[in-house]
C-alpha cells in the first residue's frame, strides 16, 4: 500500500507479508522507502505554481489586444512570463566560463544561444530551440511569409543565423559563411563562386529573392569540448507573391579537429541495411583515448566500413582487385570471381594477390559494437578473430604444389541489447575465416580456372526473454477471521 505521488523518486510504502513457517501463520508489517526506477522522477516538489491549475485569462475589451499579440501568431510559448527557470539564459556567462562544453549543453552566443528553428506543437517554426553541443540534428518547419514584407522578416535573412558570435574560450568564434546555393522557382540550384558577399532578402518583380530556405551549421571542436570554428552553408531561394508560407530546413553537425567525420549506422544500435563500421587500433597502444580517433579508419575505405569483394561483370579476380562493397548490417551477402591460373604463375605472389582480393589492402582489426560507437571509447570496439583453414597436403613435394586462399567467410554475431520494448542491435563477435586449398603445379601450356568466393553471415544470438517474476507458492491454510483487519 503506497501513499503519496507515484511520480516522486521515493515514497513510503506499507508492505504486508505472511510468515508461513510460524504456527499459526503470522502477519508481518513493514514500512519501507520505495524507490522509483524511472530516470525521470520528481526529487522535490518545490515549484508551487505547478501544484494547482491556474485559471486562464478571460479575454476582455481591455486585455484583448495584449492576448492577440501573445497568442495570435503562428507559434507562441506556452510558458508564462513568470516562469524564469533558466536565469543563465538571460545573462550568459563570461567567455572564460564557457570554454568547455559538455554533451547536450546549449551552444551559447553573445546574446542568447545558437538557434536551430524546429516545429514545436504544430509544423510552424519556433526559433526558441537551442542547438545542443555534439547533438547532430536535422529539422524542417513551416514559416509564414509575406512577399511585401520579406525584407523585414528576420528569419528569412542570412544575418539572423550568423550575426552572433559563439562563446568559446578567451575569444569568441564568429560564424563564417561556408557556401551559398541559390535555388530558382523551379527547384534548380546553383552554387555561387563567392560566399563573401551577403545576399539579403528583397522584393523584385513581385518576388522575394534571397530568402533563406535551408541552413547547415558545421561546428569544429577540440577533444576537450572547446569550440574553435563555426561555419554555415545557406540555400537561398525566391518566393512568389502567391505563397503564404515556405518550408525551411535546418541541420547542425559536429566534428573534432584533425579528424574526419564518420557517418553513424544507428543510434545507438545498428540499423538493418546500414554499413558495419570498422577500423584499426593505433600502433603502440595504449594511448590516451583521444588518439584512437585519428587511427581508427579503414585504409581501403574512407568511410571506416567493413567491406568484402565486389563482384564485377567480367568475373576476373585480377581485374576485381581493389573493388570493395560495404557489409550492410543484417544482410547476408556472397560475392566472388574467377581466377585463371597458368603454369607460368609463381605460387607466393599468386597467394598474396588472392589474399588482397579477398581481404582488401588493409583488413580492419576491430568492428564497432554499436552503430554510434565513438573511436575514443575503446571498450565499444569488438576485435575481429581471424582463422585460417587449409587442406592437408598429401605430397611433401613443395616444389610441385602450394597453398592459395580461395574463400573468405565473415560471421557477425549480434544480440538484442537493452529494453524489451525497444531492443538495440549490438555486435558481440566477428570471425573472419580464410580457407586455402592445395594447388598443384600445372604442366606447361595448361590452364585452370578456380572460383574465389567471399561471404558474410549475420547470426542473432539473443537469449529468449525470461519473465521477471516467479510463480507465487500455493499456501493451503485457513487464515484467522480478523487477518485483514482493519482492511477489507
Amino acid at each position: 500500500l503506497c501513499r503519496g505521488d507515484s511520480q516522486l523518486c521515493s515514497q513510503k510504502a506499507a508492505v504486508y507479508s505472511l510468515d508461513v513457517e510460524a504456527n499459526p501463520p503470522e502477519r508481518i508489517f513493514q514500512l519501507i522507502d520505495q524507490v522509483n526506477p524511472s530516470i525521470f522522477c520528481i526529487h522535490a516538489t518545490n515549484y508551487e505554481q505547478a501544484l494547482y491549475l491556474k485559471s486562464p485569462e478571460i479575454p476582455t475589451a481591455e486585455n484583448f489586444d495584449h492576448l492577440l499579440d501573445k497568442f495570435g501568431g503562428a507559434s507562441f510559448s506556452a510558458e508564462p512570463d513568470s516562469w524564469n527557470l533558466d536565469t543563465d539564459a538571460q545573462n550568459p556567462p563570461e567567455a572564460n566560463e564557457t570554454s568547455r562544453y559538455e554533451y547536450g549543453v546549449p551552444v551559447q552566443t553573445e546574446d542568447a544561444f545558437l538557434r536551430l528553428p524546429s516545429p514545436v506543437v504544430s509544423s510552424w517554426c519556433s526559433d526558441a530551440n537551442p542547438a545542443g553541443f555534439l547533438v547532430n540534428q536535422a529539422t524542417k518547419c513551416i514559416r509564414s511569409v509575406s512577399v511585401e514584407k520579406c525584407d523585414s522578416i528576420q528569419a528569412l535573412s542570412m544575418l539572423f543565423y550568423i550575426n552572433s558570435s559563439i562563446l568559446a574560450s578567451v575569444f569568441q568564434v564568429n560564424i563564417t559563411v561556408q557556401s551559398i546555393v541559390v535555388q530558382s522557382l523551379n527547384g534548380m540550384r546553383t552554387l555561387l563562386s563567392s560566399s563573401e558577399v551577403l545576399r539579403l532578402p528583397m522584393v523584385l518583380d513581385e518576388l522575394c529573392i534571397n530568402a533563406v530556405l535551408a541552413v547547415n551549421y558545421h561546428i569544429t571542436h577540440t577533444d576537450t569540448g572547446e569550440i574553435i570554428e563555426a561555419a554555415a552553408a545557406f540555400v537561398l531561394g525566391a518566393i512568389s507573391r502567391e505563397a503564404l508560407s515556405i518550408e525551411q530546413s535546418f541541420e547542425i553537425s559536429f566534428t573534432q579537429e584533425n579528424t574526419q567525420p564518420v557517418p553513424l549506422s544507428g543510434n545507438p544500435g545498428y540499423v538493418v541495411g546500414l554499413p558495419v563500421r570498422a577500423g584499426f587500433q593505433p600502433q603502440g597502444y595504449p594511448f590516451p583515448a583521444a588518439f584512437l580517433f585519428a587511427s581508427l579508419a579503414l585504409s581501403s575505405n574512407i568511410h571506416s566500413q567493413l567491406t568484402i569483394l565486389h563482384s564485377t561483370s567480367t568475373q576476373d579476380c585480377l581485374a576485381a582487385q581493389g573493388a570493395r562493397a560495404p557489409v550492410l548490417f543484417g544482410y547476408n551477402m556472397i560475392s566472388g570471381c574467377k581466377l585463371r591460373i597458368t603454369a607460368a604463375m609463381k605460387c607466393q605472389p599468386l597467394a598474396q594477390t588472392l589474399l588482397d582480393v579477398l581481404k582488401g589492402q588493409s583488413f580492419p582489426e576491430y568492428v564497432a559494437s554499436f552503430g554510434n560507437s565513438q573511436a575514443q571509447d575503446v571498450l565499444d570496439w569488438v576485435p575481429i578473430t581471424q582463422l585460417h583453414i587449409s587442406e592437408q597436403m598429401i605430397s611433401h613435394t613443395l616444389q610441385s604444389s602450394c597453398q592459395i586462399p580461395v574463400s573468405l567467410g565473415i560471421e557477425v554475431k549480434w544480440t538484442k541489447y537493452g529494453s524489451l520494448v525497444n531492443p538495440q542491435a549490438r555486435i558481440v563477435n566477428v570471425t573472419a575465416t580464410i580457407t586455402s586449398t592445395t594447388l598443384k603445379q600445372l604442366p606447361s601450356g595448361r590452364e585452370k580456372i578456380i572460383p574465389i568466393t567471399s561471404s558474410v553471415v549475420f547470426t542473432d544470438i539473443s537469449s529468449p526473454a525470461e519473465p521477471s517474476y516467479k510463480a507465487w507458492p500455493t499456501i493451503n491454510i485457513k487464515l484467522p477471521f480478523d487477518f485483514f483487519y482493519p482492511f477489507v
Side-chain angles (χ1 to χ4, degrees):
L1 177 64
C2 299
R3 298 184 180 273
D5 190 351
S6 60
Q7 295 181 344
L8 295 176
C9 294
S10 64
Q11 58 180 331
K12 295 293 184 180
V15 178
Y16 296 89
S17 59
L18 180 65
D19 185 3
V20 296
E21 296 181 356
N23 188 16
E26 295 180 357
R27 177 180 56 184
I28 301 176
F29 167 78
Q30 288 180 316
L31 189 63
I32 64 173
D33 288 329
Q34 190 176 57
V35 178
N36 190 342
S38 174
I39 61 175
F40 299 103
C41 57
I42 302 173
H43 179 68
T45 310
N46 56 2
Y47 185 64
E48 297 181 357
Q49 297 185 27
L51 300 179
Y52 62 91
L53 179 63
K54 185 177 181 180
S55 300
E57 189 175 359
I58 305 300
T60 63
E62 290 75 16
N63 65 3
F64 181 80
D65 293 336
H66 169 70
L67 295 178
L68 182 63
D69 293 339
K70 186 175 182 180
F71 302 106
S75 62
F76 56 86
S77 175
E79 299 180 353
D81 297 336
S82 61
W83 289 20
N84 190 16
L85 302 180
D86 188 7
T87 57
D88 294 338
Q90 304 297 330
N91 301 303
E94 298 296 331
N96 56 2
E97 297 180 5
T98 58
S99 59
R100 303 292 186 267
Y101 282 94
E102 295 181 356
Y103 178 85
V105 174
V107 178
Q108 297 179 353
T109 60
E110 55 186 351
D111 56 352
F113 46 77
L114 185 62
R115 304 180 184 91
L116 191 71
S118 64
V120 184
V121 179
S122 62
S123 58
W124 296 98
C125 292
S126 171
D127 298 323
N129 179 47
F133 183 65
L134 295 184
V135 180
N136 296 334
Q137 298 185 66
T139 62
K140 289 184 179 181
C141 56
I142 304 298
R143 181 85 64 178
S144 178
V145 297
S146 174
V147 173
E148 293 80 3
K149 302 178 181 179
C150 79
D151 53 354
S152 61
I153 301 177
Q154 291 185 342
L156 299 182
S157 173
M158 293 176 58
L159 289 175
F160 183 70
Y161 306 97
I162 62 173
N163 60 354
S164 297
S165 300
I166 295 177
L167 298 184
S169 55
V170 295
F171 57 91
Q172 296 181 356
V173 177
N174 294 326
I175 303 176
T176 60
V177 180
Q178 187 177 40
S179 63
I180 299 177
V181 175
V182 177
Q183 177 175 304
S184 61
L185 283 176
N186 59 7
M188 184 176 294
R189 294 188 174 185
T190 303
L191 176 64
L192 299 183
S193 58
S194 175
S195 59
E196 298 179 355
V197 179
L198 292 179
R199 291 177 171 250
L200 302 180
M202 59 181 297
V203 180
L204 180 64
D205 296 335
E206 297 186 350
L207 293 177
C208 176
I209 62 174
N210 299 329
V212 173
L213 301 181
V215 183
N216 190 338
Y217 289 111
H218 185 75
I219 309 297
T220 304
H221 62 90
T222 65
D223 57 347
T224 58
E226 180 182 354
I227 295 178
I228 56 177
E229 289 182 4
F234 289 90
V235 176
L236 308 180
I239 306 174
S240 62
R241 178 180 294 272
E242 294 77 14
L244 301 178
S245 63
I246 61 171
E247 182 183 66
Q248 291 181 310
S249 60
F250 303 91
E251 189 172 350
I252 186 170
S253 59
F254 296 83
T255 302
Q256 184 176 319
E257 65 173 340
N258 300 325
T259 62
Q260 295 294 329
V262 178
L264 304 182
S265 295
N267 191 16
Y270 274 97
V271 176
V272 175
L274 294 184
V276 174
R277 303 173 59 216
F280 298 100
Q281 180 176 290
Q283 297 294 330
Y285 184 82
F287 277 130
F291 287 91
L292 189 61
F293 189 85
S295 301
L296 201 55
L298 188 59
S299 300
S300 60
N301 194 305
I302 61 174
H303 298 296
S304 302
Q305 299 169 356
L306 183 64
T307 62
I308 64 171
L309 169 66
H310 179 67
S311 300
T312 62
S313 57
T314 59
Q315 291 293 304
D316 186 358
C317 288
L318 300 181
Q321 189 173 5
R324 312 294 295 175
V327 174
L328 305 181
F329 182 82
Y331 286 3
N332 295 338
M333 307 168 65
I334 185 169
S335 61
C337 58
K338 295 180 180 180
L339 177 66
R340 184 184 299 272
I341 300 177
T342 62
M345 289 184 175
K346 302 297 182 179
C347 178
Q348 295 302 326
L350 177 62
Q352 185 60 46
T353 299
L354 289 179
L355 196 62
D356 293 340
V357 169
L358 290 173
K359 299 177 61 176
Q361 294 295 328
S362 299
F363 193 73
E365 300 172 345
Y366 290 83
V367 165
S369 59
F370 289 103
N372 67 346
S373 296
Q374 299 299 314
Q376 57 267 27
D377 298 333
V378 182
L379 298 180
D380 253 8
W381 294 82
V382 178
I384 300 177
T385 302
Q386 300 192 31
L387 302 178
H388 294 268
I389 301 177
S390 59
E391 297 179 354
Q392 295 294 329
M393 296 180 58
I394 300 177
S395 173
H396 295 282
T397 308
L398 299 180
Q399 294 80 1
S400 60
S401 62
C402 69
Q403 291 280 323
I404 60 171
V406 292
S407 70
L408 168 64
I410 301 176
E411 183 183 18
V412 181
K413 295 181 180 179
W414 65 279
T415 182
K416 297 182 180 69
Y417 181 85
S419 171
L420 293 176
V421 180
N422 185 25
Q424 302 294 310
R426 175 186 182 183
I427 294 177
V428 295
N429 180 270
V430 179
T431 303
T433 303
I434 291 288
T435 302
S436 300
T437 188
T438 301
L439 178 65
K440 295 184 177 181
Q441 182 68 35
L442 294 176
S444 178
R446 296 286 300 274
E447 293 183 354
K448 185 177 182 180
I449 297 178
I450 60 174
I452 307 296
T453 60
S454 182
S455 62
V456 178
V457 175
F458 287 85
T459 306
D460 183 2
I461 60 172
S462 302
S463 300
E466 296 181 359
S468 58
Y469 62 88
K470 295 182 178 179
W472 291 99
T474 302
I475 305 176
N476 187 16
I477 61 174
K478 184 178 180 180
L479 299 176
F481 71 94
D482 63 342
F483 178 79
F484 291 104
Y485 181 83
F487 305 102
V488 178

